[in-house]
């Protein structure tokens, strides 16, 4: 039994900075944690019992915990500091330390246990239920009343309950009990009973159930009582696991028949938003989740069908907190079967109208970003079992008890607590990438971070090492749903290189580390193949140019369906399928794949497209849709796979498997790059390979379910000509998914564009550098880690590059010089810095001001000025001057006529991206 109050809040997104954002709106002023979540996920130091906590309650800033244990010890487990605590402990809500209230719940024969705690409305009496015969030596019979102020049992209160009491609910004058008993005070009261809250005298209330009672809760108006448990009938009326009865007589007011027979109700809680049940079961078709019920008529408003034995529910401020070991929320459109989530939070009501039922049930409101971690722990291995909220000193504390032995990865047994303030956990570090397929635009994208108590995070994007962000973006994420966020930088110049790093900050100001650097060179002309894929409407586009695991960037226009690498496929395999600098990903054929990090439903019009290269004779899945991520999917179709002989099969499931295959002699395991498209729409299915249609089928529908895209592997059981392996061995490149059927002409156009010449980029670092100093005219500075430029008193910097020859059939289309300012104060300059050719001879080891080389008079380019801060700067250079000297050693000088010096890193520096370099873009003539 739990009670609380209700309040709802809304969540939004934000965008600020240069460029354009994708699906982002303004964000509210930051608070300690993301509302409506009221508690951090950071555990606080708490004394811990040496057994299991089954029940909790609170009053006046004190938390009471009951269960099966004999002692409590400090949070650090200090040896010799433990205190005796016989199945009960009272703790200060704000400190987590035991109070002076000591109660021992004992029994003469067997093991005593406390299974239920409830506090009177005036906060003066604590009621305890369980299996015990005495409290501090005062005889009782499985139910006791404790005077809270004096911490003494009320000797006059001793109703006789001969078996275990599992839950209690109290009103002004009545104590209701649920449990295993068949009689109270010698009178028949099967599993539910009511006694006078003051004297303990048995009341007429009769609600006899055929199986144990586990939960009891009184309606706010005091007129009815909700019963929960294992039962199948109450007072002769058929009702399973849940019933509503009259609070005075016990007469049945409402029955329920839609809870599976192998499931029970473990907890019932209420607040102004409704009633909520926590359910547990075993076997096939089990219901392990939560039900939301209306106060008005006790009808069901929603049902959460996550699997994982819910033990406690606690509504508070419009949020339903629950303790369980939820491991599969597929039926709710959330995380698939896998990791156990021991604490969850979700809205008690929908923010708008309730959605249409799915399989006869209205899905539960959305989950929120509150995920402290625990473990299964002792006993039954259930994890957390009980929750309560206490307030002290204007701070609210969420307490949880159970069987766990670890919280947030740290040893902590049976008790833990979380506060409404003091969020100290930083989000995970974003994994960023950047891409550009046309002049004037860079798509910066990153896998959204995870924070255990903040579902909305603020991301700051830093360009070229600047200390100030170029953009600020807010986006939402949950532990199991971390979609890609994107921002378009539209202030970039063709032919120049840029670097980007991203941080994530939560509402309390905790900030992640900077992401690894993402580098990109803006092309001088449109890259025809990727630009066409985007123009044709791909809503997932994985190019496999990623440099780090486990993230695969989505290069589509919408840019929100990143991929997750499973079991470390090989990155940046060359050459890729597309001419130019694109790379591919390598798969081992036994365990590696990429799956999408975004659950979705695919309609009856779609296309899947990819390039592949292999010589395997074990087949495998190239791309497909399935309802799981790291485990074999139970539902799977919309797929292209290879047979052992190298044939390709495109198939969907619409009650039976429907496939289109290449011909008997059309095999593609020849270790060459091939292009395949599988399309389905109103005209049916079509398989297109290397620009040629290989077959059609008059099928226009496929299975509808929520799932994830898989590349490189997933289940293929029961499909025609099933290969030896579910997993593909080979290389895959340029995977795209479309929400429509591509035509054969579009597929052929993609195939042809992939073979068309495209731009290539060469980044050439300086092979030698130095600077001269008029103030030290005989000094050689070739070994210096920094370089300088100034007009008066003169500094000049010299850079030597070994220029590559232009690739066959290509010419130099653009060139840029890239430098990085040093970290010393005032490293930038307000003066113009010119880039001129060096016409004389020089060497880093011997060149000084006294023997400096002669310079050309016509600049190749110039920096108008360079801002302070250790950041990468770039300026375009004259290709007409550089083109004739390609394939040779060439020297540049940086000069100035002003008095404000520029300091930049040299090639000898170890700073990231420090070495001066040329960025050369070659393209077709």
């Amino acid at each position: 039994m739990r009670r609380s109050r209700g309040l709802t809040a809304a969540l939004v997104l934000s965008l600020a900075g240069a460029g354009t954002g994708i699906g982002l709106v303004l964000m509210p002023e930051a608070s300690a944690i993301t509302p409506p979540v009221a508690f951090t996920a950071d555990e606080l130091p708490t004394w811990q019992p040496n057994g299991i906590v089954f029940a909790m309650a609170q009053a006046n800033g004190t938390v009471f915990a009951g269960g099966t244990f004999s002692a409590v010890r400090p949070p650090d487990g200090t040896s010799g500091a433990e205190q005796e605590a016989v199945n009960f402990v009272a703790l200060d809500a704000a400190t987590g330390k035991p109070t002076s209230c000591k109660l021992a719940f004992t029994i003469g024969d067997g093991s005593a246990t406390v299974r239920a705690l409830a506090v009177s409305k005036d906060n003066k009496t604590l009621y305890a239920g369980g299996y015990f015969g005495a409290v501090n030596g005062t005889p009782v019979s499985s139910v006791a009343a404790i005077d809270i102020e004096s911490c003494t049992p009320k000797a006059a209160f001793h109703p006789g309950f001969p078996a275990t009491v599992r839950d209690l609910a109290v009103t002004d004058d009545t104590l209701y009990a649920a449990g295993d008993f068949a009689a109270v005070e010698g009178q028949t009261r099967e599993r539910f009973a009511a006694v006078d809250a003051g004297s303990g005298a048995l009341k007429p209330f009769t609600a006899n159930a055929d199986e144990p009672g586990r939960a009891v809760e009184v309606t706010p108006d005091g007129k009815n009582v909700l019963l929960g448990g294992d039962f199948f009938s109450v007072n002769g009326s058929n009702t399973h696991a849940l019933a509503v009865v009259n609070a005075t007589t016990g007469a049945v007011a409402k029955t329920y028949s839609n809870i599976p027979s192998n499931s029970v109700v473990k907890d019932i809680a209420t607040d102004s938003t409704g009633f909520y049940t926590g359910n547990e079961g075993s076997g096939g078709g089990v219901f392990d989740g939560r039900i939301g019920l209306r106060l008005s008529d006790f009808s069901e408003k929603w049902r959460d069908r996550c699997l994982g034995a819910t033990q406690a529910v606690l509504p508070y401020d419009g949020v339903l907190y629950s303790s369980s070991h939820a491991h599969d929320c597929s039926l709710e459109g959330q995380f698939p079967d896998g990791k156990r989530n021991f604490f969850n939070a979700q809205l008690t009501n929908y923010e708008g109208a309730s959605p249409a039922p799915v399989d006869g049930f209205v899905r539960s409101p959305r989950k929120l970003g509150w995920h402290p971690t625990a473990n299964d722990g002792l006993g039954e291995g259930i994890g957390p079992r009980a929750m309560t909220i206490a307030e002290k000193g204007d701070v609210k504390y969420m307490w949880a008890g159970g069987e766990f032995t670890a919280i947030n990865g740290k040893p902590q047994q049976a008790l833990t607590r979380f506060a409404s303030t003091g969020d100290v956990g930083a989000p995970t570090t974003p994994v960023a990438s950047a891409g550009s397929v046309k002049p004037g635009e860079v798509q910066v994208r990153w896998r959204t971070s995870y924070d255990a108590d903040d579902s909305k995070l603020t991301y700051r994007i830093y360009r070229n090492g600047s200390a100030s962000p170029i953009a600020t973006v807010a986006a939402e994420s949950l532990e199991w749903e971390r979609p890609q966020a994107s921002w378009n930088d539209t202030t970039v110049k063709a032919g120049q290189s840029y670097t980007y790093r991203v941080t994530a900050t939560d509402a309390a100001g905790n900030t992640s580390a900077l992401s690894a650097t993402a580098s990109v060179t803006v092309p001088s002309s449109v890259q025809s193949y990727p630009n066409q894929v985007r123009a044709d409407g791909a809503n997932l586009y994985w190019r496999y140019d990623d440099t780090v695991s486990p993230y695969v960037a989505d290069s589509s226009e919408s840019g929100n369906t990143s991929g997750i690498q499973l079991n470390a496929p090989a990155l940046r395999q060359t050459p890729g399928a597309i001419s130019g600098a694109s790379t591919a990903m390598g798969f081992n054929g036994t365990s590696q794949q990429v799956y999408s990090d975004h659950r979705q439903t695919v309609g009856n019009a779609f296309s899947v497209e990819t390039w592949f290269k292999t010589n395997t004779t074990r087949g495998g899945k190239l791309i497909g849709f399935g309802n799981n991520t790291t485990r074999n999917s139970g539902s799977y179709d919309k797929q292209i796979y290879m047979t052992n002989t190298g044939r390709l099969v495109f198939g969907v499931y619409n009650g039976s498997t429907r496939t289109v295959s290449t011909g008997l002699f059309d095999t593609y395991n020849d270790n060459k790059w091939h292009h395949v498209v599988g399309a389905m729409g109103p005209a049916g299915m079509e398989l297109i390979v290397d620009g040629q249609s290989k077959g059609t089928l008059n099928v226009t529908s496929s299975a509808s379910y929520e799932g994830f895209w898989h590349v490189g592997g997933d289940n293929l059981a029961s499909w025609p000509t099933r290969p030896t392996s579910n997993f593909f061995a080979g290389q895959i490149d340029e995977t795209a998914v479309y929400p429509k059927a591509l035509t054969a002409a579009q597929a052929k156009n993609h195939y042809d564009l992939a073979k068309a010449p495209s731009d290539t980029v060469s980044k050439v670092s300086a092979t030698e550098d130095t600077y001269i100093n008029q103030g030290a005219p005989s000094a050689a500075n070739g070994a210096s880690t920094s370089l300088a430029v100034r007009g008066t008193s003169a500094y000049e910097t010299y850079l030597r590059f070994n220029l590559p020859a232009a690739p066959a059939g290509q010419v130099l289309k653009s060139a840029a010089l890239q430098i990085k300012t040093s970290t010393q104060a005032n490293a930038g300059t307000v003066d113009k810095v010119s880039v001129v050719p060096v016409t004389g001879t020089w060497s880093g080891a011997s060149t000084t001001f006294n023997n400096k080389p002669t310079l050309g008079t016509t600049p190749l380019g110039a920096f108008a000025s360079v801002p302070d801060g250790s950041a990468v700067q770039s300026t375009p250079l004259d290709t007409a001057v550089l083109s004739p000297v390609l394939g040779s050693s060439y020297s540049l000088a940086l000069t100035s006529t002003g008095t404000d010096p520029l300091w930049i890193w040299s090639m000898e520096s170890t700073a990231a991206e420090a070495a001066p370099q040329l960025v050369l873009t070659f393209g077709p003539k």
Side-chain angles (χ1 to χ4, degrees):
M1 181 275 292
R2 307 285 188 272
R3 285 208 180 101
S4 188
R5 52 203 172 103
L7 175 68
T8 57
L11 297 177
V12 293
L13 302 175
S14 80
L15 165 70
T20 60
I22 297 176
L24 302 163
V25 297
L26 291 179
M27 180 180 177
E29 182 178 349
S31 59
I33 43 186
T34 302
V37 170
F39 304 95
T40 78
D42 302 315
E43 79 288 353
L44 295 174
T46 307
W47 278 59
Q48 44 192 319
N50 61 355
I52 299 171
V53 168
F54 289 104
M56 302 189 77
Q58 66 83 31
N60 308 318
T62 298
V63 171
F64 309 107
T68 306
F69 49 86
S70 61
V72 291
R73 61 188 184 275
D76 60 4
T78 303
S79 177
E82 71 179 21
Q83 299 179 12
E84 183 179 62
V86 183
N87 302 314
F88 175 88
V89 63
L91 306 105
D92 185 282
T95 67
K97 298 177 180 179
T99 70
S100 59
C101 178
K102 310 294 182 184
L103 296 172
F105 288 75
T106 58
I107 196 166
D109 186 21
S111 299
T113 183
V114 175
R115 294 300 180 106
L117 294 170
V119 172
S120 61
K121 289 186 175 181
D122 60 9
N123 282 345
K124 293 182 178 180
T125 304
L126 171 68
Y127 295 93
Y131 183 68
F132 46 83
V135 181
N136 284 3
T138 300
V140 293
S141 182
S142 293
V143 171
I146 314 298
D147 180 75
I148 292 176
E149 185 176 6
S150 63
C151 188
T152 57
K154 296 182 177 182
F157 185 93
H158 50 76
F161 284 80
T164 302
V165 172
R166 298 186 179 276
D167 198 20
L168 297 170
V170 62
T171 65
D172 289 332
D173 59 4
T174 304
L175 178 70
Y176 295 90
D180 301 346
F181 49 86
V184 178
E185 294 291 323
Q187 299 187 43
T188 300
R189 294 291 190 273
E190 296 177 333
R191 283 83 189 194
F192 296 97
V195 299
D196 186 276
S199 67
L202 183 65
K203 289 199 166 190
F205 174 90
T206 302
N208 292 330
D210 60 337
E211 296 290 345
R214 296 181 182 272
V216 61
E217 178 65 281
V218 184
T219 59
D221 61 9
K223 294 181 179 180
N224 293 284
V225 178
L226 277 81
L227 312 178
D230 302 18
F231 52 81
F232 290 86
S233 70
V234 174
N235 288 343
S237 297
N238 292 329
T239 184
H240 175 53
L242 186 65
V244 182
V245 299
N246 181 274
T248 302
T249 66
V252 175
K254 186 174 181 62
T255 61
Y256 296 85
S257 60
N258 60 357
I259 296 176
S261 60
N262 56 353
S263 297
V264 303
V265 169
K266 295 296 292 289
D267 193 24
I268 303 174
T270 187
D271 71 352
S272 62
T273 65
F275 286 95
Y276 304 93
T277 71
N279 302 269
E280 174 187 281
S282 61
V286 67
F287 174 52
D288 263 354
R290 293 156 290 284
I291 298 174
L293 303 165
R294 297 179 180 88
L295 288 172
S296 57
D297 59 2
F298 312 112
S299 62
E300 185 171 312
K301 57 182 179 178
W302 55 256
R303 179 173 294 213
D304 186 323
R305 291 182 290 168
C306 292
L307 296 176
T310 304
Q311 301 299 306
V313 286
L314 178 52
Y316 182 78
D317 278 1
V319 175
L320 182 65
Y321 298 89
S322 59
S323 58
S324 66
H325 54 257
H327 58 86
D328 186 354
C329 284
S330 299
L331 291 174
E332 296 303 301
Q334 295 156 9
F335 51 86
D337 195 13
K339 174 184 176 292
R340 292 190 168 197
N341 295 273
F342 293 94
F343 295 99
N344 282 288
Q346 61 198 121
L347 295 174
T348 53
N349 289 327
Y350 276 94
E351 294 153 305
S354 300
V358 177
D359 299 330
F361 298 103
V362 175
R363 279 182 170 177
S364 61
R366 63 187 174 93
K367 298 287 194 303
L368 303 171
W370 185 71
H371 290 286
T373 64
N375 66 356
D376 292 337
L378 307 171
E380 297 178 49
I382 291 291
R385 283 184 172 271
M387 308 172 81
T388 194
I389 294 172
E391 183 171 354
K392 190 169 185 179
D394 296 326
V395 177
K396 300 174 183 66
Y397 299 90
M398 164 71 79
W399 281 72
E403 298 178 348
F404 52 82
T405 57
I407 293 292
N408 292 334
K410 304 169 187 174
Q412 178 68 29
Q413 184 171 341
L415 280 174
T416 191
R417 62 198 177 101
F418 312 95
S420 58
T421 61
D423 181 11
V424 297
T428 60
T429 302
V431 183
S433 73
S436 179
V437 300
K438 58 186 177 182
E441 181 178 291
V442 167
Q443 184 189 53
V444 185
R445 56 276 173 116
W446 59 95
R447 186 188 185 202
T448 48
S449 298
Y450 165 63
D451 188 278
D453 44 29
D454 289 279
S455 57
K456 183 177 340 303
L457 300 173
T458 299
Y459 298 89
R460 291 179 174 83
I461 304 161
Y462 299 86
R463 187 172 77 177
N464 290 348
S466 173
S468 299
I470 191 173
T472 300
V473 172
E476 290 191 348
S477 58
L478 297 168
E479 182 181 23
W480 63 86
E481 188 173 73
R482 294 168 60 184
Q484 177 176 290
S486 302
W487 173 78
N488 289 340
D489 188 351
T490 56
T491 65
V492 295
K493 297 179 180 179
Q496 297 194 23
S497 289
Y498 297 85
T499 62
Y500 299 88
R501 301 183 79 179
V502 182
T503 62
T505 302
D506 67 16
N510 302 303
T511 299
S512 74
L514 281 162
S515 70
T517 299
S519 302
V520 63
T521 300
V522 182
S524 297
S525 57
V526 173
Q527 295 182 348
S528 55
Y529 182 89
N531 189 65
Q532 192 62 50
V533 169
R534 288 159 60 103
D536 282 340
N539 58 3
L540 178 155
Y541 185 20
W542 296 342
R543 304 202 66 196
Y544 306 111
D545 296 331
D546 310 280
T547 60
V548 295
S549 296
Y551 169 64
V552 175
D554 179 7
S555 296
S556 69
E557 290 279 7
S558 56
N560 67 354
T561 310
S562 56
I564 302 301
Q565 302 161 28
L566 183 63
N567 295 321
L571 306 182
R572 302 193 64 79
Q573 303 289 288
T574 57
I578 309 303
S579 63
S582 177
T583 62
M585 184 170 285
F587 297 84
N588 63 9
T590 59
S591 62
Q592 295 171 340
Q593 62 162 297
V594 174
Y595 62 86
S596 62
D597 198 17
H598 177 57
R599 182 187 286 273
Q600 60 186 285
T601 300
V602 179
N604 287 325
F606 70 91
S607 298
V608 287
E609 172 184 41
T610 198
W611 288 80
F612 66 92
K613 183 173 74 170
T614 186
N615 60 2
T616 184
T617 57
R618 300 179 71 247
K621 183 176 293 191
L622 291 167
I623 182 172
F625 192 70
N627 68 342
N628 212 310
T629 52
T630 60
R631 301 183 180 184
N632 262 352
S633 294
S635 298
Y636 45 96
D637 75 330
K638 304 170 186 65
Q639 59 194 11
I640 297 173
Y641 60 93
M642 178 175 280
T643 69
N644 288 348
T645 61
R647 297 173 64 192
L648 296 175
V649 181
F650 168 48
V652 300
Y653 182 83
N654 63 358
S656 62
T657 57
R658 310 301 300 273
T659 61
V660 182
S661 305
T662 59
L664 186 62
F665 301 105
D666 287 335
T667 57
Y668 300 93
N669 55 348
D670 55 3
N671 219 28
K672 297 179 181 178
W673 280 110
H674 295 284
H675 176 245
V676 59
V677 173
M680 188 178 81
M685 296 171 60
E686 185 170 17
L687 175 62
I688 308 160
V689 183
D690 292 342
Q692 302 296 316
S693 179
K694 294 296 180 179
T696 61
L697 189 65
N698 186 25
V699 172
T700 59
S701 66
S702 62
S704 179
Y705 56 94
E706 293 177 321
F708 309 85
W709 289 106
H710 294 256
V711 168
D714 194 15
N715 207 348
L716 283 170
S718 302
W719 279 75
T721 57
R722 180 189 179 186
T724 301
S725 175
N726 288 341
F727 293 90
F728 176 78
Q731 295 179 335
I732 294 178
D733 200 3
E734 302 290 327
T735 299
V737 177
Y738 304 80
K740 64 180 183 180
L742 289 180
T743 65
Q746 287 175 311
K748 186 177 187 307
N749 184 39
H750 291 192
Y751 177 72
D752 292 338
L753 287 174
K755 304 305 177 184
S758 62
D759 290 355
T760 58
V761 176
S762 293
K763 294 184 178 180
V764 185
S765 294
T767 57
E768 193 172 9
D769 58 23
T770 191
Y771 76 98
I772 55 94
N773 179 1
Q774 187 177 13
S778 60
N781 299 296
S784 175
T785 58
S786 59
L787 306 168
V789 183
R790 184 173 61 194
T792 305
S793 156
Y795 297 139
E796 288 181 358
T797 284
Y798 309 124
L799 307 170
R800 194 186 316 277
F801 299 91
N802 290 332
L803 302 181
Q810 295 191 332
V811 296
L812 183 65
K813 299 180 70 174
S814 68
L817 173 64
Q818 181 174 291
I819 59 174
K820 186 175 185 180
T821 48
S822 72
T823 53
Q824 72 181 67
N826 302 314
T829 180
V830 298
D831 297 329
K832 178 180 178 180
V833 175
S834 297
V835 183
V836 298
V838 178
T839 57
T841 59
W842 65 279
S843 74
S846 60
T847 296
T848 68
F849 182 83
N850 289 336
N851 64 358
K852 64 181 180 177
T854 56
L855 306 179
T857 58
T858 303
L860 283 72
F863 298 91
S865 63
V866 177
D868 287 335
S870 185
V872 174
Q873 308 294 330
S874 183
T875 187
L877 301 180
D878 189 343
T879 56
V881 175
L882 293 177
S883 293
V885 295
L886 291 174
S888 66
S889 178
Y890 190 73
S891 295
L892 301 173
L894 300 181
T895 65
S896 175
T897 58
T899 58
D900 186 20
L902 168 69
W903 289 94
I904 62 174
W905 295 117
S906 74
M907 57 176 284
E908 286 79 14
S909 171
T910 59
E913 311 161 306
Q917 64 177 352
L918 293 177
V919 181
L920 307 177
T921 302
F922 299 95
K925 295 181 179 179

